Amino acid sequence: MCRINNFIPILTLLMHISSNEAGRRTCGGTYTAARGILATPNFPGPFDVPIRCQWVIDSSSAAYGSGNTSIIVYFTQLFTFEGLTFTEYQLYGNDYKINPKLIHKVNETNVFRIRWVQSYQSYLVIELKMQSSESAHIRVLDKFLDTYGFNITYEITTGGVRSPSCTMMDCGFTGICFDHYTKFSCKCFDGYSGPSCSEGPKSFCYTNGTPTCKNGGTCLHVGVAAVKCHCSKLFTGNTCETLLEPASAKGKVLLCILGSNRAK
Ligand SMILES: *[C@@H]1O[C@H](CO)[C@@H](O)[C@H](O)[C@H]1NC(C)=O
Ligand SMILES: *[C@@H]1O[C@H](CO)[C@@H](O)[C@H](O)[C@H]1NC(C)=O
Ligand SMILES: *[C@@H]1O[C@H](CO)[C@@H](O)[C@H](O)[C@H]1NC(C)=O
């Protein structure tokens, strides 16, 4: 059985280098409503490059009061890990930009792990800037999911972060994360079901009715062909089969690609 500590290698990360055509589509904009959707042009399809888009979320309106208003962006459907930054400003206008602070930059490591960003400043500016690559876009296992850019949601609220929210990873890459504004949920692809789309006839989380992750470990799909076991504190191993010495029990997360061993 193979063992990979990071799931990224099993995703095929593709860089599409495209022509010098300027991005012609309009993109970005200013958002003052209490909630909304921020998406790249032509989502989920490819967009023209070079591209530079700015989504300005403005919570300065008196309607939001002063209290504990924050701007929260939920990374529900985020498929790009390059050139995407989140900067908060105390004031933001054409001629003035006061107190900028970069609060998040999406990268290969955090793209599916970070579920949301929050700012207590009046303005949050999300910028997508790509010169020559169409996108470092994520393609999971042979076109199963072949999606560009992002389709994420924001909210201006005094209510704090809604939880649990989801990312593509929480939906096992076998479903898509949606924000319904009162709650989040995964919409599973055919053959998958359950809150994280890791159950159902096509799931590897069970083999002949037996859970793949032993000893109470939780099973999550990572695309169609792999699962990841989150072991309970006392166990380790690809399928949580090994009892740990109590001193070293740390609740390790290991990844296991199932294939030929499935029949075992
Ligand atoms: C703001 O939040 C803090 C901590 O989350 C809380 O103690 C405080 O009462 C809140 N203030 C208002 C005006 O809601
Ligand atoms: C990715 O971003 C995280 C913070 O979200 C940072 O800790 C990490 O070093 C970055 N990784 C790379 C490869 O840039
Ligand atoms: C974008 O995300 C929103 C909220 O999750 C969803 O309602 C909408 O259907 C999505 N759009 C596309 C094109 O997937």
Side-chain angles (χ1 to χ4, degrees):
M1 192 169 276
C2 58
R3 172 189 283 219
I4 298 173
N5 286 318
N6 188 322
F7 71 92
I8 285 288
I10 69 142
L11 305 177
T12 315
L13 307 176
L14 295 183
M15 299 272 288
H16 278 237
I17 308 302
S18 149
S19 64
N20 280 334
E21 266 180 278
R24 274 155 298 164
R25 286 169 176 280
T26 54
C27 61
T30 299
Y31 294 72
T32 54
R35 55 174 59 126
I37 293 175
L38 314 170
T40 45
N42 196 37
F43 179 87
F47 45 83
D48 291 336
V49 286
I51 190 168
R52 179 164 185 257
C53 306
Q54 263 191 357
W55 292 261
V56 178
I57 304 173
D58 172 359
S59 71
S60 65
S61 155
Y64 299 118
S66 43
N68 279 343
T69 303
S70 69
I71 303 169
I72 304 164
V73 179
Y74 295 99
F75 294 169
T76 46
Q77 301 174 17
L78 177 57
F79 297 92
T80 195
F81 50 86
E82 220 186 66
L84 185 60
T85 55
F86 295 75
T87 309
E88 62 180 20
Y89 295 83
Q90 198 178 340
L91 282 174
Y92 187 90
N94 290 334
D95 312 324
Y96 49 89
K97 297 174 178 30
I98 312 290
N99 275 350
K101 186 178 167 209
L102 179 71
I103 59 168
H104 188 60
K105 189 173 169 24
V106 175
N107 67 31
E108 207 173 314
T109 315
N110 67 28
V111 58
F112 303 121
R113 294 176 194 279
I114 306 285
R115 291 187 172 77
W116 44 265
V117 295
Q118 182 177 30
S119 169
Y120 284 93
Q121 291 289 7
S122 294
Y123 297 85
L124 180 62
V125 177
I126 297 150
E127 184 166 83
L128 177 68
K129 205 154 70 174
M130 283 180 192
Q131 276 309 311
S132 56
S133 73
E134 195 171 26
S135 151
H137 98 274
I138 285 149
R139 199 175 171 189
V140 183
L141 297 168
D142 296 327
K143 294 189 180 164
F144 188 63
L145 254 180
D146 195 1
T147 305
Y148 296 78
F150 55 79
N151 175 40
I152 58 184
T153 60
Y154 81 88
E155 191 168 29
I156 302 173
T157 179
T158 52
V161 175
R162 285 178 289 131
S163 176
S165 63
C166 53
T167 67
M168 291 304 295
M169 183 162 79
D170 299 309
C171 298
F173 299 98
T174 40
I176 297 199
C177 167
F178 283 89
D179 184 354
H180 307 285
Y181 296 125
T182 49
K183 65 181 177 83
F184 295 84
S185 71
C186 299
K187 185 164 184 247
C188 303
F189 297 140
D190 274 357
Y192 299 91
S193 60
S196 59
C197 301
S198 292
E199 295 159 34
K202 290 189 184 164
S203 170
F204 287 126
C205 282
Y206 288 86
T207 312
N208 301 325
T210 310
T212 306
C213 303
K214 313 289 181 218
N215 299 307
T218 334
C219 183
L220 181 66
H221 256 263
V222 188
V224 286
V227 301
K228 186 168 68 169
C229 292
H230 291 266
C231 303
S232 60
K233 278 203 167 84
L234 296 176
F235 294 90
T236 187
N238 292 328
T239 59
C240 308
E241 72 284 1
T242 310
L243 181 64
L244 278 176
E245 293 299 318
S248 61
K250 274 188 202 140
K252 290 196 177 168
V253 176
L254 291 170
L255 180 92
C256 160
I257 296 180
L258 296 179
S260 53
N261 9 296
R262 194 181 170 218
K264 259 201 251 181

